Amino acid sequence: MRSFLSSSFIFGAILIAKVQASPAYTNKFSVPLPIPPVLTPLTTYTPSSSGSNPIDFYQITVQQFNKQIWDGKPSTSLVGYNGMYPGPTIKASRGREIVLRVVNQGDANSALHLHGSATVAPFDGWAEDMIAVGEYKDYYYPNFQNGRTLWYHDHAHMVTASNVQKGQAGFYILEDPAGEAGLNLPSGDFDIPLLISSKNYDATTGAVLPPSTAGDTIEVNGQLYPYLEVEPRQYRFRILDGAATRTFTLGMYEGNSTTGPLGFQVIASDAGLMASPVSATSLKMAMGERYEIVIDFTGLEGNTYKLRNTESLTSDTLGQILQFRVKNVTPTPGGGTIPSTLRTIDFLPQPTTPVKQFTFAITNGQFTINGKTFSDVNNRVLANVPRGTTEIWELINGGGGTHPVHIHLIDFQIISRSGGTGGTTIPAHEAAALKDIVILNPNETVRLLAKYSPWDGLYMFHCHNLVHEDNEMMAAFNVTALPDFGYPETTRFLDPMDPAYAAQPFTSTDLTLVQSTTLPGFSALNAYNHIPEIMEALDTYHGTR
């Protein structure tokens, strides 16, 4: 157990230990925005039985690589997926399952969490279900949810912040063409992922420093202060706050101006398309949150604009993020008026069952939830929720700064905010959305409404300030089995540390063996078959009680 006072990390936005400034970056907006490559599946298995989905097999390797970031200094050593940061983008199709093999050839224990996926427990990335250097683990993903921007990132106990800081994060985009049919949203080259992060670098060597502070630089897709040439038309940007410890408030400004922000449309959140688009000039994002926005550059030919962080609006380092250069060209056709309804979200009725309360605070020098730490194995399960139950959870900020709270497995609705500095108003872009992370501001209380389904098993919830998370602000909840449920399920997945799915020593990947044995073995588990029927059966079960 580590003492808060003896560690060097952030207490909210207050720096506990003095950290040197990063080197001065002299190439702002002179390097184009990198776009992560899309990963290709190595093989595909198509089951012969009806009711089973095809399974695509991918592999990524945690490995060290060097990148020249600073002029006149040595290249910076990083550790990323397939030797890049962000890692390659995985584009999944709704209704096609994926087995993702993660090989650890890095420098520390690893674990992978597919953030935003309703995955059975052994493949969810439990923090102690780690992959040692020299091992691999196969993760099995359902891809049954509506289209959304997910991300995969390290989740290893006590080293998540360090691993993510060094580069272990990437986009996973679940595509659902049927769900977006007729919406005329920008696509293809006009649909761009943006991973925004903030880091400190050693002033002498240029080495990336451990995430003991919120960082004093901003990078997008691994590049400090890049630019992007755009056509005079609409673009869709999938934005992820991939920082270990920094929130951003985004705004668009012409040239070098810091007044008169331009508007944009917020169309999607963590859990995919919102019920309706929301017009905005400002968008606050916390660590792990995803939002999708549409920016219309029509009629702005020849101008430049900057995406800025308005929390430090006039700062040359923390106030600037990305420059857009609008080209003088005839735009590629596409886009159009965004419909007033993007999708139908069946917001849940509020139950009459007791509200569960969870306080995020500092207790005896430790980051805790309800006074407990994740290392307190006998007391870290803070809630038992019968499978398929709808509950209200009340999150209370009892101290320690801002806490972006992430609950695994589920999508939730924010139903109330009180206290803090924001008053009782739920921002429009939250009210129209389902989420998997909520910003819990200092002194604030937030209530969330969610259905805990479709799986039973043990899952985590935690602060997604990764420094807080690594310093024990993480707990568990148990979605308990229904003894009289009666729905036939071939295999159960209750234990996130089930040894049947644990990491194994890695030598090489034999695709013939993967095709003949590995993928048929996963398919035979029937883990993700008949999900709509299971969810309907759960609703029927609870509707009769």
Side-chain angles (χ1 to χ4, degrees), residues 113-120 124 144-146 148 150 269-272 290 348 358 385-393 395 405-414 434-438 447-457 459-461 477-479 535:
H113 174 49
L114 179 53
H115 187 134
S117 175
T119 304
V120 293
D124 185 55
F144 75 92
Q145 296 157 290
N146 59 288
R148 61 184 61 196
L150 305 91
S269 66
D270 307 330
R290 290 89 64 214
L348 297 166
F358 304 95
V385 186
R387 183 182 184 184
T389 300
T390 298
E391 291 195 346
I392 295 173
W393 284 18
L395 312 181
V405 178
H406 174 43
I407 304 175
H408 288 223
L409 178 66
I410 61 164
D411 300 333
F412 55 71
Q413 179 189 359
I414 301 170
L434 294 176
K435 302 274 294 159
D436 61 43
I437 286 185
V438 61
R447 284 192 170 191
L448 311 176
L449 175 65
K451 181 183 294 183
Y452 290 77
S453 74
W455 318 119
D456 42 14
Y459 291 89
M460 296 176 291
F461 68 108
F477 64 97
N478 187 19
V479 181
M535 298 176 74

Side-chain angles (χ1 to χ4, degrees), residues 200-222:
N200 280 99
Y201 293 87
D202 186 274
T204 302
T205 66
V208 65
L209 296 176
S212 57
T213 78
D216 63 359
T217 62
I218 294 180
E219 55 193 49
V220 187
N221 293 352

Side-chain angles (χ1 to χ4, degrees), residues 196 218 239 241 246-253 261 264 280-287 289 291 306-314 318-321 429 439 441:
I196 304 175
I218 294 180
I239 306 176
D241 182 345
R246 180 175 291 283
T247 63
F248 301 95
T249 300
L250 307 179
M252 277 279 294
Y253 295 82
F264 50 84
T281 57
S282 177
L283 179 64
K284 183 172 182 177
M285 297 188 66
M287 297 71 86
E289 283 192 295
Y291 279 103
K306 284 180 183 175
L307 185 66
R308 289 182 173 271
N309 174 28
T310 65
E311 294 177 16
S312 302
L313 184 58
T314 60
L318 292 177
Q320 303 185 90
I321 299 175
H429 61 272
I439 300 174
N441 294 303

Side-chain angles (χ1 to χ4, degrees), residues 296-319:
D296 193 350
F297 296 100
T298 302
L300 304 180
E301 295 90 332
N303 295 329
T304 63
Y305 297 85
K306 284 180 183 175
L307 185 66
R308 289 182 173 271
N309 174 28
T310 65
E311 294 177 16
S312 302
L313 184 58
T314 60
S315 169
D316 285 341
T317 53
L318 292 177

Side-chain angles (χ1 to χ4, degrees), residues 281-526:
T281 57
S282 177
L283 179 64
K284 183 172 182 177
M285 297 188 66
M287 297 71 86
E289 283 192 295
R290 290 89 64 214
Y291 279 103
E292 299 177 32
I293 67 173
V294 172
I295 300 176
D296 193 350
F297 296 100
T298 302
L300 304 180
E301 295 90 332
N303 295 329
T304 63
Y305 297 85
K306 284 180 183 175
L307 185 66
R308 289 182 173 271
N309 174 28
T310 65
E311 294 177 16
S312 302
L313 184 58
T314 60
S315 169
D316 285 341
T317 53
L318 292 177
Q320 303 185 90
I321 299 175
L322 169 65
Q323 183 190 66
F324 297 103
R325 301 176 181 177
V326 188
K327 296 185 290 185
N328 279 301
V329 298
T330 301
T332 303
T337 302
I338 298 174
S340 58
T341 298
L342 296 171
R343 70 169 171 133
T344 300
I345 298 177
D346 294 324
F347 292 110
L348 297 166
Q350 296 190 23
T352 57
T353 52
V355 174
K356 288 185 169 69
Q357 292 184 325
F358 304 95
T359 299
F360 292 73
I362 295 176
T363 307
N364 298 325
Q366 290 284 318
F367 281 114
T368 62
I369 305 175
N370 283 2
K372 308 300 181 185
T373 63
F374 192 71
S375 292
D376 186 358
V377 175
N378 293 327
N379 295 293
R380 67 187 179 191
V381 178
L382 301 184
N384 290 293
V385 186
R387 183 182 184 184
T389 300
T390 298
E391 291 195 346
I392 295 173
W393 284 18
E394 183 174 87
L395 312 181
I396 302 165
N397 191 329
T402 296
H403 303 301
V405 178
H406 174 43
I407 304 175
H408 288 223
L409 178 66
I410 61 164
D411 300 333
F412 55 71
Q413 179 189 359
I414 301 170
I415 59 173
S416 72
R417 288 184 174 274
S418 60
T421 57
T424 59
T425 300
I426 300 174
H429 61 272
E430 290 184 344
L434 294 176
K435 302 274 294 159
D436 61 43
I437 286 185
V438 61
I439 300 174
L440 187 59
N441 294 303
N443 304 311
E444 190 174 36
T445 296
V446 175
R447 284 192 170 191
L448 311 176
L449 175 65
K451 181 183 294 183
Y452 290 77
S453 74
W455 318 119
D456 42 14
L458 195 61
Y459 291 89
M460 296 176 291
F461 68 108
H462 55 88
C463 177
H464 218 287
N465 180 323
L466 299 184
V467 177
H468 296 184
E469 176 186 325
D470 278 351
N471 284 272
E472 303 283 13
M473 192 170 264
M474 185 159 59
F477 64 97
N478 187 19
V479 181
T480 57
L482 304 174
D484 56 345
F485 181 35
Y487 191 89
E489 293 175 284
T490 305
T491 311
R492 306 305 297 280
F493 302 91
L494 304 180
D495 182 4
M497 296 284 287
D498 191 325
Y501 312 109
Q504 303 291 327
F506 180 76
T507 52
S508 63
T509 294
D510 181 341
L511 289 180
T512 301
L513 184 64
V514 168
Q515 179 65 233
S516 65
T517 304
T518 304
L519 298 184
F522 277 110
S523 182
L525 294 174
N526 293 317

